């Protein structure tokens, strides 16, 4: 199973604009895969602009899917807000997993279907969305919170479980997330999917929703 390295170096700064580039260079010399989080005090020395050169503070650069970095960041931020509500740690974005999700989203659009990938090694949430964007789809998953009783394990009869998307969002052991999207070009004979709507595929690693286990 492919897994993105999750190494975070946090730097607290004060008047470090002259030293910051060299310091980050040295960190990456020893740990090339490290993500560097710079905590700035908003001093007038320009460290903040140097530390956060991306518009809007978007940390994700290459998504691995058709999602923009802003869309990927919005999904990660939303997931982590939802997870924080129940005391669960954050998930990080995985371009590798997003690539897998994108392939399935493309297949759904091509075949005009809305179904889960069989024999998937990742957890998976699906949603349709329109003008509201990817968060419209993610909010559909979150809305299932109303159907979940905290402390309840996943039932054996999962097909009748009404909160499976939500429980995967907050699954304690899931640490990586990636997503893809695709546009339906035609309408299914059943009326759904519809032309002009989008499918959102979200994959989680490790997967959740194991029968008999609690999400958190």
């Amino acid at each position: 199973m492919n897994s993105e390295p999750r190494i975070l170096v946090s730097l607290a700064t004060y008047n470090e604009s002259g030293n910051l580039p060299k310091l980050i260079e040295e960190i990456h010399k020893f740990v090339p895969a490290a993500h560097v989080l710079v905590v700035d005090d908003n001093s007038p020395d320009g460290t903040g602009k140097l530390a956060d050169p991306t518009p809007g503070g978007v940390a994700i650069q290459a998504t691995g899917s058709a999602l923009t970095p802003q869309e990927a960041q919005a999904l990660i931020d939303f997931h982590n807000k939802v997870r924080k509500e129940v005391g669960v740690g954050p998930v990080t974005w995985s371009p590798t997993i997003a690539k897998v999700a994108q392939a399935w989203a493309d297949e759904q659009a091509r075949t005009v279907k809305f179904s889960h990938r069989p024999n998937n090694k990742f957890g998976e949430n699906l949603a349709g969305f329109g003008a509201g964007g990817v968060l419209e789809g993610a909010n559909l998953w979150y809305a299932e919170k109303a159907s979940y009783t905290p402390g309840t394990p996943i039932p054996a009869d999962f097909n009748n479980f009404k909160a499976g998307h939500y429980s995967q969002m907050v699954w304690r052991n899931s640490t990586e997330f990636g997503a893809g999207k695709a546009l339906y070009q035609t309408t299914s004979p059943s009326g759904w999917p519809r032309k002009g709507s989008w499918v959102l595929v979200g994959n989680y690693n490790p997967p959740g929703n194991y029968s008999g286990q609690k999400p958190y």
Side-chain angles (χ1 to χ4, degrees):
M1 179 182 297
N2 290 326
S3 176
E4 298 297 313
R6 297 189 303 278
I7 303 170
L8 176 65
V9 179
S10 179
L11 299 176
T13 71
Y14 180 76
N15 290 331
E16 293 290 335
S17 60
N19 297 327
L20 189 59
K22 181 64 177 178
L23 182 57
I24 293 177
E25 179 182 347
E26 289 297 314
I27 291 172
H28 283 152
K29 186 181 298 184
F30 290 97
V31 190
H35 296 275
V36 180
L37 172 66
V38 178
V39 182
D40 183 57
D41 63 346
N42 201 29
S43 60
D45 67 331
T47 304
K49 291 182 179 179
L50 181 66
D52 187 12
T54 56
V58 177
I60 298 169
Q61 298 302 305
T63 67
S65 71
L67 270 68
T68 66
Q70 290 78 12
E71 288 174 321
Q73 191 68 55
L75 284 174
I76 285 294
D77 290 346
F78 184 68
H79 271 78
N80 289 338
K81 177 183 177 182
V82 171
R83 292 169 69 86
K84 188 176 181 180
E85 290 178 350
V86 296
V88 176
V91 290
T92 58
W93 184 267
S94 167
T96 301
I97 296 174
K99 183 178 180 180
V100 174
Q102 184 62 50
W104 190 242
D106 290 340
E107 177 67 9
Q108 296 300 281
R110 184 187 70 82
T111 58
V112 199
K113 293 181 179 179
F114 188 77
S115 60
H116 285 286
R117 181 195 293 267
N119 303 315
N120 196 349
K121 66 180 181 180
F122 299 119
E124 185 174 79
N125 278 348
L126 301 180
F129 69 92
V134 293
L135 286 183
E136 177 185 335
N139 267 294
L140 293 175
W141 304 336
Y142 179 57
E144 294 180 2
K145 180 179 182 179
S147 300
Y148 179 69
T149 301
T152 304
I154 302 300
D157 185 12
F158 188 75
N159 289 334
N160 289 321
F161 183 52
K162 303 300 182 183
H165 298 93
Y166 171 72
S167 57
Q168 174 59 88
M169 288 185 81
V170 298
W171 196 264
R172 181 187 301 276
N173 293 331
S174 295
T175 58
E176 294 180 303
F177 174 78
K181 66 175 183 178
L183 179 67
Y184 289 106
Q185 302 291 340
T186 59
T187 298
S188 169
S190 66
W192 174 258
R194 297 188 304 273
K195 180 180 179 179
S197 60
W198 293 79
V199 59
L200 174 67
V201 179
N203 284 159
Y204 301 79
N205 182 49
N209 285 336
Y210 288 99
S211 176
Q213 296 186 22
K214 301 176 183 178
Y216 57 87

